[in-house]
Amino acid sequence: DAVAKRWKGRPDHIIEDLFRLPDDSGELHPVTLFEPWQPRFVHAYFYGDASTITLLKGRRIGGTAIALICMALEGIIRPNQLYPIVSTKEDQSHSRISDLTDLFENAVIEVPLPTKNKGDLELWNGTKFVGYTGAPDSSRGDGARSILFDEMAFMEKQKEKLRAYRPMMSLSTGKMVQVSTPNAKADEFMKSFKKGSMTGFSDDGSKLGVISLFQPTFHNYEEIDVEVPLYEQDLDPARPDLNIDVVEQDRAQDPVGFAQEYLCVPAAEESLFFSEPSVEAAMRIPKENESYISGIAAPRMGGTRFMGVDVG
């Protein structure tokens, strides 16, 4: 009765009671969700009235981890489901499958795993977790419960990937989960984030279809001066066990990159070699000159040839 009362309507409590993670010494401890944002994510995943969750996050706060844990819990409950895990690189995809394997093997209940490979994992109830880096296999394209795009902002051809995976959820009430630190200001990931809200509804009550969650590495991210050592500032980390020594090394080496990856602040305009509008203007081809040929294969017709160099 006590367990039923604690678990009723509280998937965050179920997660904390079922799953365990090892500390640096390898000793297992119950998962402790970081307040308030991880319980908020869990409830958005299980109860949110939106088909997409977009989490714009800072580094080292467990954003991908909480998405995987939600899928792991749902996979235990729902048999014969498919959960694609889409990553930028193959080794990253394998790491996510390995993380799921560890979750199940360290759980306080027995979770039989008849199949566990580098790229896929199957539970005893027929539910599968499959790692992808490209378009989905046509044999598995018949339906997915939920899909995770890990570090989506750093994926190439985001629009094409969404177009390839979205049909897999056409008959599902699950979630398209997009998790990433920021990269470009106007890529598909950021467009999705800007479209949604914390509830998935606009101020006037209309449905947006996207739940947008925002969590930098520090709760007081707006108060942090990227030019001042973190040891000299008041910090409110999003996770209490954050290693400030490691984060400070990143800040000292690249303050602008630190602001973008830890504080979710776009790179300062004054740090750029060229302004964003000037680059966009240079990339456009005037409509009246649509036959213009560019690239190394373009024939030499006199005039001047320009070459750009990535000084980053």
Side-chain angles (χ1 to χ4, degrees):
D1 290 344
V3 171
K5 183 178 180 180
R6 172 173 165 78
W7 285 8
K8 185 177 182 180
R10 295 299 301 265
D12 51 327
H13 287 176
I14 302 176
I15 285 170
E16 292 183 325
D17 293 346
L18 287 189
F19 296 116
R20 297 179 295 181
L21 294 174
D23 59 18
D24 292 339
S25 64
E27 184 177 352
L28 293 174
H29 298 277
V31 168
T32 300
L33 300 183
F34 305 129
E35 297 281 353
W37 79 271
Q38 281 191 328
R40 184 180 296 147
F41 182 96
V42 173
H43 283 261
Y45 182 87
F46 285 98
Y47 301 127
D49 188 10
S51 60
T52 300
I53 298 177
T54 303
L55 172 61
L56 174 59
K57 68 176 186 69
R59 291 184 64 187
R60 307 181 189 275
I61 65 168
T64 299
I66 193 58
L68 290 175
I69 290 173
C70 286
M71 290 181 169
L73 175 58
E74 189 177 47
I76 293 174
I77 299 170
R78 292 180 174 273
N80 302 313
Q81 303 295 318
L82 173 64
Y83 293 89
I85 313 296
V86 188
S87 304
T88 56
K89 299 178 181 178
E90 187 176 22
D91 58 348
Q92 186 180 1
S93 174
H94 292 169
S95 294
R96 300 295 79 80
I97 297 299
S98 178
D99 292 339
L100 284 164
T101 302
D102 292 342
L103 273 176
F104 293 126
E105 291 184 336
N106 294 331
V108 299
I109 59 173
E110 182 181 0
V111 183
L113 305 175
T115 303
K116 49 182 180 179
N117 302 308
K118 278 187 174 182
D120 61 87
L121 172 68
E122 182 179 0
L123 305 186
W124 87 100
N125 61 2
T127 288
K128 297 179 181 179
F129 300 86
V130 183
Y132 292 94
T133 55
D137 189 330
S138 58
S139 65
R140 293 194 176 106
D142 55 349
R145 173 62 188 176
S146 291
I147 301 175
L148 170 61
F149 284 88
D150 184 26
E151 290 298 341
M152 179 178 170
F154 296 88
M155 291 181 179
E156 296 181 352
K157 300 181 179 180
Q158 295 174 26
K159 186 177 294 184
E160 287 82 353
K161 279 188 168 62
L162 289 171
R163 188 181 300 121
Y165 284 94
R166 191 170 281 126
M168 298 178 70
M169 293 190 61
S170 59
L171 300 178
S172 173
T173 57
K175 297 289 190 289
M176 178 82 75
V177 182
Q178 304 170 347
V179 177
S180 190
T181 50
N183 187 18
K185 291 192 291 187
D187 59 4
E188 293 303 313
F189 173 76
M190 287 304 298
K191 287 179 183 177
S192 176
F193 177 78
K194 294 173 182 177
K195 176 184 176 182
S197 70
M198 186 179 295
T199 63
F201 292 86
S202 64
D203 293 338
D204 62 8
S206 59
K207 187 174 180 178
L208 300 173
V210 179
I211 295 176
S212 296
L213 301 176
F214 176 68
Q215 184 56 65
T217 305
F218 300 92
H219 292 303
N220 62 333
Y221 65 99
E222 293 178 309
E223 303 171 6
I224 294 178
D225 187 340
V226 299
E227 300 296 341
V228 176
L230 298 179
Y231 306 122
E232 302 175 12
Q233 304 186 60
D234 292 328
L235 304 176
D236 185 10
R239 57 182 298 171
D241 59 348
L242 184 69
N243 189 329
I244 301 301
D245 291 341
V246 174
V247 180
E248 168 57 20
Q249 291 176 17
D250 290 342
R251 184 212 64 80
Q253 293 174 358
D254 182 6
V256 174
F258 166 83
Q260 180 159 324
E261 296 195 10
Y262 287 92
L263 309 181
C264 299
V265 177
E269 186 75 16
E270 60 269 19
S271 71
L272 303 178
F273 279 86
F274 305 102
S275 70
E276 188 172 330
S278 69
V279 174
E280 291 178 347
M283 292 168 62
R284 285 196 295 269
I285 298 175
K287 289 183 178 180
E288 64 273 12
N289 194 17
E290 291 180 351
S291 62
Y292 178 80
I293 302 175
S294 62
I296 196 69
R300 299 193 181 199
M301 304 293 290
T304 303
R305 170 167 292 187
F306 294 90
M307 178 177 71
V309 179
D310 181 358
V311 296

